[in-house]
Amino acid sequence: MAPKKAKKRAEGGSNVFSMFEQPQIQEFKEAFTIMDQNRDGFIDKNDLRDTFAALGRLNVKQEEIDEMLKEAPGPINFTVFLTMFGEKLKGADAEETILNAFKVFDPEGKGTLKKDYVTEMLTTQADRFSPEELEQMFTAFPPDVAGNLDYKNLVHIITHGEEKDQE
């Protein structure tokens, strides 16, 4: 009985790869690799805790991590990870999706991130930005005098191509 079940799961999982373009799958793979801190091919509670710590969130409650893991149907390998994102993104608004990605780095929900922090993240994680790319971004989206980047406006411009009217 067990081999049949495994086969069925593999078939169901293979569909998820057709939901995304190859470059997107590569980006998810990089994100998965960053989160799989112990490199065992699975994301577990220690990996999540280490990932939060790397992002500067040191006192994450165990319940919060357990809730995240409960969303998965079982151990989180790359196929399960991709499937979970596929389900979350199905019919998702691009603007909301990108905003939610920024909100991970903004636990207080201020809508801004420190320029230095953004610079560090973009030059040390996954697809690293070159100094030229960083300069282009900060020229197009300059931080305010306090050094804060208004990511809500940035996301609006990325998804709509124009600045939001100042409210």
Side-chain angles (χ1 to χ4, degrees), residues 47-159:
D47 291 328
L48 283 178
R49 185 167 297 290
D50 292 347
T51 300
F52 275 120
L55 296 172
R57 282 194 61 197
L58 300 175
N59 47 3
V60 180
K61 293 187 180 76
Q62 188 58 51
E63 299 83 65
E64 192 176 348
I65 288 175
D66 290 341
E67 281 300 308
M68 291 175 150
L69 291 172
K70 261 192 237 159
E71 290 185 33
I76 304 174
N77 63 15
F78 181 63
T79 305
V80 171
F81 181 79
L82 199 59
T83 303
M84 291 171 71
F85 270 97
E87 289 168 358
K88 290 242 186 261
L89 295 175
K90 233 188 287 182
D93 172 23
E95 184 172 12
E96 188 182 340
T97 303
I98 300 169
L99 267 177
N100 286 337
F102 275 105
K103 285 178 186 170
V104 169
F105 304 104
D106 180 24
E108 287 96 45
K110 290 187 255 177
T112 60
L113 295 172
K114 288 275 177 220
K115 177 187 178 201
D116 296 344
Y117 180 68
V118 173
T119 299
E120 182 186 339
M121 293 306 292
L122 293 177
T123 56
T124 62
Q125 304 294 322
D127 283 340
R128 293 176 171 90
F129 275 45
S130 69
E132 295 78 28
E133 289 170 320
L134 265 180
E135 191 180 323
Q136 285 174 347
M137 187 186 86
F138 289 128
T139 300
F141 307 105
D144 65 18
V145 290
N148 295 310
L149 186 68
D150 177 355
Y151 69 81
K152 289 182 177 176
N153 191 38
L154 171 71
V155 170
H156 186 83
I157 294 169
I158 290 170
T159 54

